[in-house]
Amino acid sequence: MDDPNAAPNPDVDVLEQALHAARALVLADLAAGDVARAEVVSLVEDSVSHRRWWVEQWPEGVAYVAGLVAQDVQDALLERYGRWPLCPVCAEAEPDEPHALEVEPELGPDPHWVCGKAGVVVAAVGALGSGDSLGSGGVGTTS
């Protein structure tokens, strides 16, 4: 039985805070693109669960969790529904060729959604559709 008087493990607190923040950021981006349906939220939960194990194995990677969860969800959405989030920068210039934004850095802190074609930062992960972004980033078909 756990000792109720024992000091909390600060490593667990940091891990849980990072996972909760990652979940909230990705859910905010999904909501901004109007794609936060139950089955999509389940993809977020699957990623958070997997990344919990990942960070337990490599604690130094805790700062990278938000970007990794965003990438996991992006990959899962591509397999099931199509590209997400769609690039708002190129949408007017190339309406017949939608492409997804990319998370940069791929493995690093402070992840952002970036248009690889135009080479511009669109928004921080968690800020799609806010005043700090250029668009909402819905889902596009893979065809």
Side-chain angles (χ1 to χ4, degrees):
M1 181 176 213
D2 291 334
D3 179 0
N5 297 320
N9 182 340
D11 293 335
V12 172
D13 292 338
V14 170
L15 169 60
E16 290 304 316
Q17 289 173 4
L19 291 169
H20 286 293
R23 176 187 293 113
L25 292 171
V26 174
L27 288 173
D29 285 346
L30 289 165
D34 199 26
V35 293
R37 298 180 297 271
E39 62 273 11
V40 176
V41 172
S42 292
L43 298 174
V44 176
E45 295 305 322
D46 290 346
S47 174
V48 168
S49 176
H50 172 72
R51 293 304 172 179
R52 174 178 282 112
W53 176 87
W54 183 83
V55 173
E56 287 170 349
Q57 305 309 304
W58 188 48
E60 295 81 12
V62 72
Y64 311 148
V65 170
L68 291 170
V69 171
Q71 290 173 31
D72 292 346
V73 172
Q74 185 179 42
D75 291 346
L77 281 170
L78 179 61
E79 291 174 12
R80 292 168 179 81
Y81 303 104
R83 295 176 189 95
W84 174 84
L86 295 178
C87 177
V89 175
C90 300
E92 281 189 40
E94 302 173 20
D96 296 332
E97 297 182 36
H99 62 274
L101 297 172
E102 302 167 6
V103 175
E104 289 188 8
E106 286 186 28
L107 186 62
D110 194 27
H112 284 72
W113 293 109
V114 175
C115 171
K117 282 188 174 184
V120 297
V121 173
V122 174
V125 168
L128 284 177
S130 73
D132 296 335
S133 77
L134 299 175
S136 63
V139 174
T141 61
T142 57
S143 57

